[in-house]
Amino acid sequence: MEAKQSKLEKLKGQNPFRVPEGYMEGLTSQIMNSIPENMPKRESKVFSLNERIRPLLYLAAVFIGFIFLFRMFIIPATPKSDTSQGESVLVRESDMSNEDEEYLEYLQQEYNRNLLTVSLEYID
């Protein structure tokens, strides 16, 4: 261990890495000689229409899959009601009682009153 410490002490403050003698003098000419005169031209690859459209089709399939998963797990299923058998949801006038008619008249009057108030605010 002491021998390693003494070697480290000797190298302290010095650069242990050296370039061989004459290496830099011939380096430029060696690199230029290794480069060919005429570089071969690379042929460009021609993509077919199928190869261009395929990633878009995959992307569309992923989005459709997400939509189905969203509808299946996130949006709760609506329970089927009796109206699915062709019955009308609208209330018939014959089914309404006097209280219902009075309530509908009250709602109509309130709606008209609020509508008038809102339209007068816009005029001012």
Side-chain angles (χ1 to χ4, degrees), residues 77-88:
T78 56
K80 292 186 177 183
S81 64
D82 294 333
T83 59
S84 64
Q85 297 174 357
E87 294 181 12
S88 176

Side-chain angles (χ1 to χ4, degrees), residues 20-89:
E21 293 292 326
Y23 179 76
M24 292 295 198
E25 295 169 6
L27 182 64
T28 307
S29 61
Q30 287 176 358
I31 291 174
M32 293 306 286
N33 289 337
S34 66
I35 299 174
E37 293 281 329
N38 295 326
M39 295 288 290
K41 292 184 180 181
R42 293 180 57 184
E43 294 181 19
S44 61
K45 185 177 178 184
V46 178
F47 293 101
S48 68
L49 184 62
N50 187 23
E51 290 173 338
R52 289 182 186 179
I53 293 179
R54 188 179 302 152
L56 297 174
L57 291 175
Y58 292 153
L59 186 64
V62 167
F63 279 118
I64 290 171
F66 279 134
I67 289 171
F68 283 129
L69 285 174
F70 179 77
R71 289 191 58 135
M72 190 154 82
F73 292 113
I74 305 299
I75 299 174
T78 56
K80 292 186 177 183
S81 64
D82 294 333
T83 59
S84 64
Q85 297 174 357
E87 294 181 12
S88 176
V89 179

Side-chain angles (χ1 to χ4, degrees), residues 88-107:
S88 176
V89 179
L90 299 175
V91 178
R92 297 183 192 114
E93 288 185 31
S94 61
D95 295 340
M96 291 177 43
S97 66
N98 284 340
E99 292 177 1
D100 293 337
E101 289 178 11
E102 289 175 8
Y103 182 66
L104 285 176
E105 286 177 20
Y106 169 75
L107 288 178

